[in-house]
Amino acid sequence: MSGYIYETRPESLERITDLDRAQAFIDGQVKALKEQIGDQKVLLALSGGVDSSVVAALLIKAIGKNLTCVHVNHGLLRKGESDQVIKVFREQLGANLIYVDAVDRFLDALAGVSDPEKKRKIIGSIFIDVFAEEAEKLSDIKFLGQGTIYPDILESKGVKAHHNVGGLPDKFKFELVEPVKFLYKDEVRVVGKALGLPDNMVYRQPFPGPGLGVRCVGAITRDRLESLREADAIVREEIEKLPKVPWQYFCVIPDFMSTGIKDAKRYMGWAVVIRAVNTVDAVTATSPEIPFKTLCAIRDRIIANVHGVNRVLWDISDKPVSTIEWE
Ligand code: XMP
């Protein structure tokens, strides 16, 4: 159930292309949310992605402390991501934020699992368990906030798979609050900007729900995952220096090793694969040109700083036939 009468975007909703329209949308939504929610309580899974962040910021404006945000750290987030969620929402916006460190729970369950679909299932189901446990502790929640956006409705009948809260057990009879459900992604970003969220949150590249879990190819080990997180931060920093940044850019560490040489001795190490793509809808994608200087800067920083890595590769495959992610 939702607070909307229309399941299709109302014709009266003009495209939100600038900050004035975004502000008008925010004012209207804050009023509507206050009316819908009254003095009841709302729970929201806050990943730090643009959709859930915008919903959180709107709800904080409308109902303040009656919103409880739950941020689950599954250990597969990018470097600094959880810290930013805490800084922005708890410290700057005064949100009622529960931070759940579930890193060991996720990584223990994933140990030794190499099948990509099994990995996704484990991540999704533990996420629901952890979120449900937090919901259980809060007895008086009436509504569930969700960062559903219009393409989710058009493409998957409103199921926001990557938020992973759609599968909550039946005993939770929450009513849904979905204030950006008629907006396209670019509009959500303008609204986020008007709400004063930081640019690196608002203009964030897409990041899969299972996070670094699908980029630490095969069975995830903690040491390879840490190296992936460090290498990913370096790839992002260097690519973001370019005048034109690709649509998505990241790195992958496959679960094989190759020979390196250090102190005149041969040893085995991991390879980091740089991946960048341009696309409109992620259905097809092309590999953009990256200046060799940038690739070398990435290589030098990774080899000097990332534990266990002795080789850096660049994946220049297009989709099709390669998918964007490696698994
Ligand atoms: P592929 O690898 O299928 O990716 O070409 C297309 C887009 O989807 C993202 N992706 C995911 N997003 N959960 C998500 O929320 C997932 O399991 C998942 N797998 C892929 C990928 O990052 C790319 O933008």
Side-chain angles (χ1 to χ4, degrees):
M1 202 190 343
S2 86
Y4 287 90
I5 299 160
Y6 303 98
E7 277 309 309
T8 50
R9 181 175 165 123
E11 274 174 26
S12 58
L13 181 58
E14 283 182 288
R15 284 276 299 160
I16 301 171
T17 47
D18 57 39
L19 292 176
D20 286 343
R21 283 202 183 157
Q23 194 53 54
F25 174 83
I26 292 165
D27 294 342
Q29 275 306 315
V30 167
K31 191 165 168 275
L33 287 167
K34 280 184 172 157
E35 276 166 21
Q36 185 190 359
I37 299 162
D39 55 8
Q40 306 277 356
K41 300 214 163 127
V42 182
L43 185 63
L44 173 76
L46 179 58
S47 65
V50 56
D51 306 334
S52 64
S53 297
V54 166
V55 169
L58 274 172
L59 281 163
I60 290 165
K61 253 187 178 311
I63 60 164
K65 296 277 186 199
N66 277 345
L67 170 71
T68 300
C69 301
V70 176
H71 175 67
V72 178
N73 183 355
H74 52 29
L76 305 165
L77 297 170
R78 291 173 291 190
K79 190 173 178 177
E81 233 160 12
S82 278
D83 292 343
Q84 189 184 34
V85 168
I86 293 171
K87 191 161 164 247
V88 170
F89 287 95
R90 189 184 281 163
E91 294 169 20
Q92 293 174 8
L93 299 178
N96 192 358
L97 172 74
I98 298 172
Y99 169 79
V100 188
D101 178 349
V103 175
D104 286 340
R105 197 156 153 188
F106 279 89
L107 297 187
D108 288 350
L110 286 164
V113 181
S114 54
D115 179 75
E117 287 321 306
K118 274 198 194 131
K119 284 166 72 177
R120 278 188 171 79
K121 276 208 178 93
I122 290 171
I123 295 165
S125 83
I126 298 183
F127 188 93
I128 290 169
D129 290 349
V130 171
F131 190 74
E133 283 162 23
E134 294 306 316
E136 190 94 72
K137 290 183 204 160
L138 306 162
S139 52
D140 49 355
I141 300 289
K142 171 110 193 278
F143 295 94
L144 182 71
Q146 288 229 119
T148 312
I149 63 173
Y150 203 40
D152 298 325
I153 295 178
L154 298 177
E155 290 158 20
S156 58
K157 301 198 168 55
V159 178
K160 183 131 201 172
H162 73 266
H163 274 201
N164 288 325
V165 287
L168 275 176
D170 286 345
K171 67 177 174 186
F172 296 105
K173 300 211 182 317
F174 298 134
E175 237 179 89
L176 291 185
V177 175
E178 300 174 295
V180 297
K181 78 182 221 181
F182 292 128
L183 302 194
Y184 289 97
K185 194 78 171 189
D186 56 312
E187 299 179 295
V188 179
R189 293 193 203 277
V190 186
V191 171
K193 185 90 187 132
L195 283 162
L197 292 175
D199 277 4
N200 65 349
M201 208 169 238
V202 170
Y203 298 109
R204 229 171 77 128
Q205 53 168 324
F207 185 56
L212 298 179
V214 295
R215 297 175 183 170
C216 192
V217 176
I220 298 167
T221 58
R222 290 177 191 240
D223 52 355
R224 193 156 51 91
L225 177 63
E226 273 329 303
S227 293
L228 173 63
R229 202 181 334 262
E230 285 303 316
D232 173 73
I234 292 170
V235 167
R236 282 189 290 136
E237 264 177 47
E238 292 299 327
I239 290 199
E240 280 161 16
K241 290 179 187 164
L242 294 172
K244 201 165 177 326
V245 171
W247 189 83
Q248 200 173 12
Y249 46 99
F250 55 90
C251 65
V252 170
I253 303 192
D255 56 346
F256 57 76
M257 288 184 148
S258 69
T259 319
I261 189 147
K262 201 168 19 184
D263 304 328
K265 280 199 196 98
R266 291 160 80 86
Y267 74 104
M268 303 302 278
W270 296 309
V272 164
V273 181
I274 303 166
R275 180 81 169 129
V277 291
N278 276 334
T279 177
V280 175
D281 51 13
V283 176
T284 61
T286 54
S287 170
E289 229 173 79
I290 298 179
F292 193 60
K293 222 171 112 202
T294 301
L295 294 170
C296 292
I298 292 171
R299 173 200 63 199
D300 292 347
R301 285 186 63 191
I302 288 179
I303 294 299
N305 299 299
V306 182
H307 173 76
V309 174
N310 63 3
R311 204 171 285 275
V312 178
L313 315 173
W314 178 24
D315 177 357
I316 56 166
S317 325
D318 290 342
K319 178 181 180 179
V321 60
S322 308
T323 52
I324 295 173
E325 304 288 346
W326 269 45
E327 61 171 37

PDB file of all heavy atoms in Angstrom, residues 41-52:
ATOM      1  N   LYS A  41       5.425   6.760  13.482  1.00  0.00           N
ATOM      2  CA  LYS A  41       6.873   6.567  13.248  1.00  0.00           C
ATOM      3  C   LYS A  41       7.168   5.827  11.946  1.00  0.00           C
ATOM      4  O   LYS A  41       6.395   4.960  11.522  1.00  0.00           O
ATOM      5  CB  LYS A  41       7.476   5.800  14.419  1.00  0.00           C
ATOM      6  CG  LYS A  41       7.284   6.563  15.721  1.00  0.00           C
ATOM      7  CD  LYS A  41       8.430   6.357  16.657  1.00  0.00           C
ATOM      8  CE  LYS A  41       8.393   7.430  17.732  1.00  0.00           C
ATOM      9  NZ  LYS A  41       8.433   6.910  19.071  1.00  0.00           N
ATOM     10  N   VAL A  42       8.301   6.189  11.349  1.00  0.00           N
ATOM     11  CA  VAL A  42       8.704   5.610  10.061  1.00  0.00           C
ATOM     12  C   VAL A  42      10.098   4.978  10.202  1.00  0.00           C
ATOM     13  O   VAL A  42      10.975   5.536  10.862  1.00  0.00           O
ATOM     14  CB  VAL A  42       8.779   6.702   8.959  1.00  0.00           C
ATOM     15  CG1 VAL A  42       9.147   6.096   7.599  1.00  0.00           C
ATOM     16  CG2 VAL A  42       7.466   7.459   8.850  1.00  0.00           C
ATOM     17  N   LEU A  43      10.256   3.830   9.549  1.00  0.00           N
ATOM     18  CA  LEU A  43      11.553   3.142   9.539  1.00  0.00           C
ATOM     19  C   LEU A  43      12.077   3.150   8.104  1.00  0.00           C
ATOM     20  O   LEU A  43      11.314   2.963   7.159  1.00  0.00           O
ATOM     21  CB  LEU A  43      11.330   1.695  10.014  1.00  0.00           C
ATOM     22  CG  LEU A  43      12.566   0.814  10.199  1.00  0.00           C
ATOM     23  CD1 LEU A  43      13.482   1.376  11.283  1.00  0.00           C
ATOM     24  CD2 LEU A  43      12.129  -0.602  10.586  1.00  0.00           C
ATOM     25  N   LEU A  44      13.388   3.355   7.954  1.00  0.00           N
ATOM     26  CA  LEU A  44      13.973   3.420   6.606  1.00  0.00           C
ATOM     27  C   LEU A  44      15.339   2.744   6.594  1.00  0.00           C
ATOM     28  O   LEU A  44      16.177   3.024   7.451  1.00  0.00           O
ATOM     29  CB  LEU A  44      14.138   4.899   6.200  1.00  0.00           C
ATOM     30  CG  LEU A  44      14.877   5.168   4.891  1.00  0.00           C
ATOM     31  CD1 LEU A  44      13.988   4.879   3.684  1.00  0.00           C
ATOM     32  CD2 LEU A  44      15.354   6.624   4.826  1.00  0.00           C
ATOM     33  N   ALA A  45      15.552   1.873   5.622  1.00  0.00           N
ATOM     34  CA  ALA A  45      16.885   1.297   5.419  1.00  0.00           C
ATOM     35  C   ALA A  45      17.692   2.311   4.619  1.00  0.00           C
ATOM     36  O   ALA A  45      17.342   2.636   3.482  1.00  0.00           O
ATOM     37  CB  ALA A  45      16.786  -0.020   4.652  1.00  0.00           C
ATOM     38  N   LEU A  46      18.741   2.825   5.215  1.00  0.00           N
ATOM     39  CA  LEU A  46      19.529   3.886   4.586  1.00  0.00           C
ATOM     40  C   LEU A  46      20.878   3.328   4.157  1.00  0.00           C
ATOM     41  O   LEU A  46      21.770   3.126   4.969  1.00  0.00           O
ATOM     42  CB  LEU A  46      19.710   5.030   5.599  1.00  0.00           C
ATOM     43  CG  LEU A  46      20.527   6.231   5.161  1.00  0.00           C
ATOM     44  CD1 LEU A  46      19.966   6.902   3.926  1.00  0.00           C
ATOM     45  CD2 LEU A  46      20.620   7.244   6.297  1.00  0.00           C
ATOM     46  N   SER A  47      21.006   3.099   2.837  1.00  0.00           N
ATOM     47  CA  SER A  47      22.252   2.512   2.337  1.00  0.00           C
ATOM     48  C   SER A  47      23.316   3.580   2.122  1.00  0.00           C
ATOM     49  O   SER A  47      24.501   3.283   2.126  1.00  0.00           O
ATOM     50  CB  SER A  47      21.982   1.796   1.009  1.00  0.00           C
ATOM     51  OG  SER A  47      21.584   2.749   0.027  1.00  0.00           O
ATOM     52  N   GLY A  48      22.861   4.818   1.900  1.00  0.00           N
ATOM     53  CA  GLY A  48      23.804   5.879   1.530  1.00  0.00           C
ATOM     54  C   GLY A  48      23.769   6.144   0.033  1.00  0.00           C
ATOM     55  O   GLY A  48      24.396   7.068  -0.454  1.00  0.00           O
ATOM     56  N   GLY A  49      23.014   5.331  -0.696  1.00  0.00           N
ATOM     57  CA  GLY A  49      22.792   5.567  -2.120  1.00  0.00           C
ATOM     58  C   GLY A  49      21.897   6.787  -2.287  1.00  0.00           C
ATOM     59  O   GLY A  49      21.241   7.215  -1.334  1.00  0.00           O
ATOM     60  N   VAL A  50      21.845   7.309  -3.518  1.00  0.00           N
ATOM     61  CA  VAL A  50      21.140   8.585  -3.700  1.00  0.00           C
ATOM     62  C   VAL A  50      19.641   8.479  -3.374  1.00  0.00           C
ATOM     63  O   VAL A  50      19.080   9.371  -2.731  1.00  0.00           O
ATOM     64  CB  VAL A  50      21.418   9.194  -5.112  1.00  0.00           C
ATOM     65  CG1 VAL A  50      21.072   8.262  -6.221  1.00  0.00           C
ATOM     66  CG2 VAL A  50      20.710  10.511  -5.299  1.00  0.00           C
ATOM     67  N   ASP A  51      18.988   7.371  -3.750  1.00  0.00           N
ATOM     68  CA  ASP A  51      17.537   7.294  -3.551  1.00  0.00           C
ATOM     69  C   ASP A  51      17.167   7.250  -2.063  1.00  0.00           C
ATOM     70  O   ASP A  51      16.318   8.018  -1.597  1.00  0.00           O
ATOM     71  CB  ASP A  51      16.954   6.072  -4.277  1.00  0.00           C
ATOM     72  CG  ASP A  51      17.337   6.037  -5.748  1.00  0.00           C
ATOM     73  OD1 ASP A  51      17.599   7.117  -6.296  1.00  0.00           O
ATOM     74  OD2 ASP A  51      17.385   4.944  -6.340  1.00  0.00           O
ATOM     75  N   SER A  52      17.797   6.352  -1.324  1.00  0.00           N
ATOM     76  CA  SER A  52      17.444   6.270   0.100  1.00  0.00           C
ATOM     77  C   SER A  52      17.907   7.518   0.854  1.00  0.00           C
ATOM     78  O   SER A  52      17.256   7.950   1.809  1.00  0.00           O
ATOM     79  CB  SER A  52      17.986   4.995   0.747  1.00  0.00           C
ATOM     80  OG  SER A  52      19.394   4.972   0.749  1.00  0.00           O
TER      81      SER A  52
END
